[in-house]
Amino acid sequence: MDLDDRYPALSDLARAARRRLPRFVWEYLDSGTGNEAAARANTAALDRVRLLTRVLSPAEPDPAIRLLGHDWALPVGIAPVGMSGLVRPGAERIMAATAARAGIPYCLSTVAAMTPEEVGPATMGRGWFQLYPPRDPQVRRDLLARARRAGFDTLVVTVDLAAPSRRERQRRARLTNPMRLTPRILWQAAMAPAWSLRMLQAGIPRLRTLEPYAPAAAGGTTSHAGYALRVAPDIDYLRACRAEWDGPLVVKGILDPGDAVRAAPVADALWVSNHGGRQFEAAPPAAAVLPAIRAAVGEEMPLIADGGVRSGTDVLRLVALGADMAMLGRGVHHGLAALGPRGVDHAIHILRAGLLADMGQMGAHRPQEARGRVWR
């Protein structure tokens, strides 16, 4: 039986991942904030989008796009997820290498378990580096210089973390950073022996990129040491990043058309996102605000979006609403947890196969031909 029969959808990989991970790791990966209304709204908003088919106009689907100076095989990329190393040691490098082979972007988080220097070579010069804005300008300049030297091409500045979120499910699971090996955590780890063996061999993951700058995290908190470095950026902060980075710059965390208009002159692309429902419970989903943001910035500004993507259909829905590219983090991490490196390949395969099937139904040769084809 091949993988398509056992795991035909990303939801099948998610179920397998949940069985293979300790509970506290699953809670970290899967949780939102508050009662998770924002996370649920992401999927509900996508489910409400109906796409118009086009018959009598057959087309040979080609999902390739051009964005930020590169040709990509799909309008899909791997979003930054902090501490991916909790899922599997070496997760960031595995995903970067897999994305490079598949011809899609991979975005490394500032709070990854591997450094830009370790991951950059695997991106083949087309990686994206996500920056949580440091308060100290010298720290910012050093992080950007490290990422550029490591081979990262595109900078993604996250602007929607003005304050730490609570993420109550993580608190209930007693997950701390740095991790404390309490009896509860050890018991949960014992229930996932393959995961535990890999962690024993590799060591507990740490925020290695930030270790040269960050004070030790306070014990007993679910907030990581990176919060001690961060500042809520303004437009002048974005201009400083623009001056210090010589590649494409993406502003991530836009939900308001007014913010999009203010950020557009500084950015090469805008990323519409509510942080996967992990920051602000009352935030709207990207799918709900994309049309207004597209109208506000015009057709020429590249828009990236995330939030609740579970299939190639969801990718096409976001494109139809105004995005040029859709990003997802959880789905590919579920693949990694379920099947190791080949699970990342399989997650990308699932997205590609679904996208091609739906483009055929819509009579679309290129993904952008779905733009605006939303039934109302």
Side-chain angles (χ1 to χ4, degrees):
M1 183 183 295
D2 69 12
L3 292 183
D4 261 339
D5 293 328
R6 292 192 63 189
Y7 307 98
L10 293 186
S11 57
D12 298 300
L13 293 175
R15 282 189 288 272
R18 188 169 189 174
R19 292 193 299 269
R20 288 163 171 75
L21 292 172
R23 176 175 171 261
F24 65 90
V25 178
W26 174 259
E27 295 295 273
Y28 172 75
L29 181 60
D30 189 64
S31 63
T33 193
N35 70 5
E36 303 194 309
R40 291 194 301 273
N42 285 340
T43 55
L46 287 170
D47 286 340
R48 286 193 292 270
V49 177
R50 305 283 94 189
L51 300 177
L52 291 170
T53 60
R54 179 183 284 124
V55 298
L56 307 178
S57 300
E60 186 67 30
D62 180 354
I65 67 164
R66 186 166 181 83
L67 182 74
L68 298 176
H70 290 295
D71 294 318
W72 305 103
L74 300 171
V76 177
I78 300 179
V81 174
M83 292 297 287
S84 293
L86 273 175
V87 174
R88 189 183 183 97
E92 293 89 350
R93 190 159 47 211
I94 291 169
M95 292 195 183
T98 304
R101 288 196 307 272
I104 66 173
Y106 168 75
C107 189
L108 178 70
S109 172
T110 303
V111 291
M114 299 187 77
T115 66
E117 293 84 356
E118 293 172 309
V119 178
T123 69
M124 298 177 63
R126 305 206 304 173
W128 297 7
F129 179 73
Q130 176 266 338
L131 180 74
Y132 285 131
R135 183 176 291 105
D136 185 337
Q138 184 53 46
V139 172
R140 178 185 69 228
R141 284 190 287 268
D142 193 62
L143 279 169
L144 297 188
R146 289 174 59 192
R148 207 67 175 101
R149 287 195 303 269
F152 287 87
D153 169 77
T154 296
L155 175 64
V156 177
V157 182
T158 295
V159 296
D160 62 354
L161 271 76
S165 64
R166 288 180 57 78
R167 301 186 189 174
E168 289 84 345
R169 277 175 61 185
Q170 293 180 37
R171 290 174 178 268
R172 295 185 190 106
R174 303 296 193 272
L175 180 60
T176 61
N177 198 308
M179 189 188 302
R180 290 187 298 163
L181 298 178
T182 64
R184 180 195 294 255
I185 294 296
L186 290 171
W187 173 254
Q188 293 176 23
M191 297 296 99
W195 178 92
S196 297
L197 180 59
R198 284 192 291 270
M199 288 298 160
L200 284 172
Q201 293 170 336
I204 294 174
R206 317 188 308 270
L207 303 177
R208 298 186 60 199
T209 299
L210 295 180
E211 284 181 343
Y213 322 110
T221 176
T222 55
S223 297
H224 49 64
Y227 278 115
L229 290 172
R230 294 185 199 169
V231 67
D234 56 16
I235 195 69
D236 288 334
Y237 195 101
L238 291 182
R239 292 191 184 105
C241 292
R242 171 80 284 168
E244 294 163 2
W245 184 263
D246 63 355
L249 186 148
V250 180
V251 178
K252 179 179 183 290
I254 299 292
L255 290 172
D256 179 77
D259 286 340
V261 170
R262 282 187 288 275
V266 187
D268 295 293
L270 303 176
W271 189 327
V272 183
S273 171
N274 69 7
H275 215 97
R278 291 164 74 84
Q279 284 304 117
F280 181 38
E281 184 183 337
V289 299
L290 256 173
I293 291 176
R294 172 54 73 194
V297 300
E299 289 298 318
E300 298 305 312
M301 171 58 69
L303 293 182
I304 299 161
D306 67 30
V309 174
R310 302 148 296 170
S311 63
T313 303
D314 287 341
V315 172
L316 208 56
R317 282 166 163 155
L318 288 175
V319 171
L321 292 169
D324 295 283
M325 176 174 279
M327 303 289 283
L328 75 162
R330 289 184 177 102
V332 287
H333 281 74
H334 292 154
L336 181 64
L339 300 171
R342 67 177 180 151
V344 183
D345 278 307
H346 187 56
I348 296 169
H349 161 75
I350 289 170
L351 293 167
R352 178 184 175 85
L355 187 61
L356 288 172
D358 289 351
M359 287 174 63
Q361 292 290 334
M362 296 185 72
H365 173 58
R366 293 285 190 171
Q368 295 310 310
E369 293 173 28
R371 179 72 56 79
R373 293 192 55 77
V374 178
W375 178 77
R376 303 187 188 281

